[in-house]
Amino acid sequence: MANVIKLRKGLEINLKGKAREKKTATQVSNVYGLMPENFVGVTPKVVVKEGDHVLAGEALFVNKAHPEVKFASPVSGTVTEVLRGDRRKVLCVKVQADDQQESYDFGKKEVRALDAEAVKQSLLDAGLFGYINQLPYAVSTTPDTTPEGIFVSALRDMPLSADFEFELSGNEEAFQTGITALSRIAPVTLGIGSKQSAAALTGVKDAEVVVFDGPCPAGNVGVQVNHIAPISKGETVWTVEPTAVIFIGRLFLTGNVDLRRTIALAGSQVTDPAYTEVLVGTPLADILSGKLVKTDHIRIINGNPLTGIVSNLNGFLGAHTSEVTVIPEGDDKDEMLGWILPRTNDFSVSRSYLSWIMGKKHEYDLDARIKGGERHIIMSGEYDKVFPMDIYAEYLVKSIIAGDIDKQEQLGIYEVSPEDFALAEFVDSSKLPLQKIVREGLDILRKENA
């Protein structure tokens, strides 16, 4: 019987626009873009030029510090643009897709016959190794790290997040193969939710299954690592998004890189919230074509409302994005009497509004407004109510702001990632950008320990 861990701290935010379990037509586009910023901690070096022809699976760029870590093109076609920003920072590599798609053949492999190094090399050759992240630092990992374990969370419980069980349907064999491949490198732990019942999850082989019963953010892999096997300074664990496990499984089953994923189109500004199958790097304009309630005063998010990246119709689907969310921007609102109104459709953690009378099943149509300015004070106890890790979140944030590295290490910064602070940022009455603060703290610590 699987081990069950119950969590009490957290917060469920029931937003309007949850994707229904139906799949719309597969989205096919002409141009695809792979963005290096999706792979945190990677300094990209482009290995193609405009006009070059690439096959699906061939590298578009590599990690400059570890050139053996490649990042594969999702399609075959012609490189049309290497988009750069300030200081020639690589923002995106665009590929014009061929009418007839071709994939580089890496060869089918029987994963049980491979050792750890052979699995690593296969992932490096195919440009999939960079989809594996690590703790500490919450960055894309490198092949010189030796993980104590590998953690996969199949539970997505952020507001409007996609249900992995729906995506898993039809990909069970690839998921199991991916788990088996990872288990050749280090012991694998699969975290699932108490309401998940797919046989491919509950009966998975070559992995220890741990059930998490509790509110959001129980699905955060960092939260799961903290409760299963907390890491200390000098230790490393790998974390793999469940869709990346499917990518890995497809590689060994077919010999090809196949970056198809089923994502949720969600949010109150989507006409028919549902699922669609797309490739990593698909233009958001194509994904959302004809599916928006309106095109102005909206916020398009590459991800969910709490941890996603603000984007626009010129953007491309992120490498780790499992949902595209569209909510009101709120910049066109002119509310009479402001906060003095009863606000039955506005969410409040502290019950400052009368919306709590509506019950837990009420769906809230929240917009992107912060509703208040940043304050240079941290209210005691606010974070603890929604932060289910055995870490003093409030004091850790203070130590990061103060630049006290010794105190950060003592307070457990090696165990956290920015997404673990998403709910704390949501409830923070001081309006501090906690995820950004934690990211900056992790980056500084990584440089110090390099």
Side-chain angles (χ1 to χ4, degrees):
M1 182 178 178
N3 184 27
V4 179
I5 296 177
K6 293 188 177 183
L7 303 179
R8 299 190 182 281
K9 292 183 178 181
L11 180 67
E12 298 290 359
I13 308 171
N14 190 20
L15 297 185
K16 182 180 179 181
K18 182 77 173 177
R20 295 185 294 119
E21 290 192 355
K22 76 167 190 176
K23 189 181 291 187
T24 59
T26 300
Q27 188 67 54
V28 179
S29 303
N30 293 323
V31 178
Y32 292 78
L34 195 64
M35 299 178 292
E37 69 173 6
N38 296 155
F39 306 97
V40 180
V42 170
T43 301
K45 178 182 178 182
V46 180
V47 294
V48 293
K49 301 187 296 293
E50 292 182 10
D52 286 354
H53 187 270
V54 294
L55 300 180
E58 290 190 314
L60 296 179
F61 55 87
V62 300
N63 186 348
K64 190 173 183 179
H66 293 270
E68 67 274 25
V69 180
K70 308 170 186 176
F71 296 88
S73 172
V75 294
S76 67
T78 303
V79 177
T80 58
E81 183 181 9
V82 178
L83 183 62
R84 296 181 183 270
D86 295 339
R87 294 179 149 184
R88 291 185 55 78
K89 178 182 177 181
V90 181
L91 302 179
C92 182
V93 181
K94 299 181 182 180
V95 179
Q96 177 82 36
D98 292 334
D99 293 334
Q100 191 68 35
Q101 285 294 298
E102 295 181 83
S103 295
Y104 189 91
D105 186 8
F106 294 97
K108 299 179 184 179
K109 297 181 178 69
E110 174 51 56
V111 292
R112 294 191 183 279
L114 303 178
D115 60 13
E117 289 305 314
V119 171
K120 276 188 182 182
Q121 193 58 53
S122 295
L123 298 179
L124 288 168
D125 292 342
L128 294 181
F129 192 87
Y131 284 80
I132 301 173
N133 291 332
Q134 70 166 61
L135 291 174
Y137 311 125
V139 293
S140 181
T141 196
T142 53
D144 58 341
T145 59
T146 302
E148 304 289 328
I150 300 175
F151 291 81
V152 179
S153 174
L155 173 60
R156 295 174 180 151
D157 57 1
M158 287 289 179
L160 301 180
S161 58
D163 183 356
F164 179 67
E165 280 191 295
F166 187 77
E167 181 179 4
L168 180 61
S169 178
N171 291 301
E172 293 87 352
E173 185 182 7
F175 183 76
Q176 178 60 71
T177 302
I179 291 288
T180 300
L182 292 171
S183 72
R184 307 301 292 173
I185 301 173
V188 177
T189 301
L190 175 65
I192 66 174
S194 58
K195 296 180 181 179
Q196 290 182 302
S197 58
L201 297 178
T202 59
V204 70
K205 300 175 183 176
D206 303 312
E208 179 187 359
V209 177
V210 180
V211 178
F212 284 84
D213 184 5
C216 173
N220 282 15
V221 70
V223 172
Q224 297 182 4
V225 171
N226 179 260
H227 284 83
I228 298 169
I231 61 174
S232 303
K233 184 177 182 179
E235 296 179 339
T236 300
V237 299
W238 288 358
T239 63
V240 187
E241 197 237 337
T243 305
V245 176
I246 294 176
F247 294 165
I248 293 169
R250 288 173 182 161
L251 172 65
F252 290 105
L253 288 173
T254 67
N256 299 325
V257 171
D258 184 352
L259 299 181
R260 285 178 298 117
R261 64 182 305 157
T262 299
I263 65 166
L265 301 181
S268 61
Q269 299 304 297
V270 175
T271 54
D272 184 20
Y275 289 81
T276 187
E277 188 174 74
V278 292
L279 281 168
V280 168
T282 301
L284 297 183
D286 291 345
I287 293 175
L288 295 172
S289 177
K291 294 171 182 162
L292 296 176
V293 174
K294 57 183 181 179
T295 57
D296 57 344
H297 305 296
I298 59 173
R299 176 165 294 193
I300 298 172
I301 305 171
N302 225 323
N304 66 71
L306 292 188
T307 64
I309 298 173
V310 177
S311 189
N312 54 52
L313 292 177
N314 295 321
F316 297 88
L317 183 74
H320 298 284
T321 300
S322 55
E323 55 274 324
V324 173
T325 311
V326 189
I327 62 175
E329 185 67 54
D331 56 354
D332 59 335
K333 294 289 182 69
D334 185 15
E335 297 178 332
M336 181 178 176
L337 300 179
W339 58 266
I340 204 170
L341 294 173
R343 293 179 177 269
T344 56
N345 199 38
D346 279 7
F347 186 83
S348 173
V349 178
S350 60
R351 292 191 173 185
S352 299
Y353 309 142
L354 291 180
S355 54
W356 62 272
I357 296 176
M358 308 296 287
K360 291 184 178 180
K361 293 186 178 180
H362 180 67
E363 292 183 333
Y364 295 93
D365 185 10
L366 303 188
D367 57 45
R369 288 177 294 168
I370 297 176
K371 297 182 179 177
E374 184 175 316
R375 301 167 178 86
H376 299 286
I377 189 172
I378 294 177
M379 296 296 292
S380 297
E382 272 191 332
Y383 306 161
D384 293 339
K385 296 175 183 178
V386 297
F387 195 81
M389 300 173 71
D390 188 20
I391 289 173
Y392 291 110
E394 174 188 328
Y395 295 101
L396 177 56
V397 170
K398 288 179 179 179
S399 68
I400 295 173
I401 294 173
D404 190 336
I405 291 176
D406 290 338
K407 185 65 71 176
Q408 293 171 38
E409 291 181 339
Q410 294 168 12
L411 290 169
I413 192 170
Y414 292 115
E415 297 186 55
V416 302
S417 60
E419 68 173 10
D420 297 328
F421 287 79
L423 275 177
E425 184 177 287
F426 178 79
V427 304
D428 184 16
S429 57
S430 296
K431 315 297 181 184
L432 296 176
L434 298 184
Q435 294 182 79
K436 180 182 178 182
I437 290 170
V438 172
R439 179 73 269 160
E440 291 173 351
L442 290 169
D443 289 344
I444 291 171
L445 211 64
R446 184 165 167 249
K447 290 179 181 178
E448 287 286 330
N449 293 329

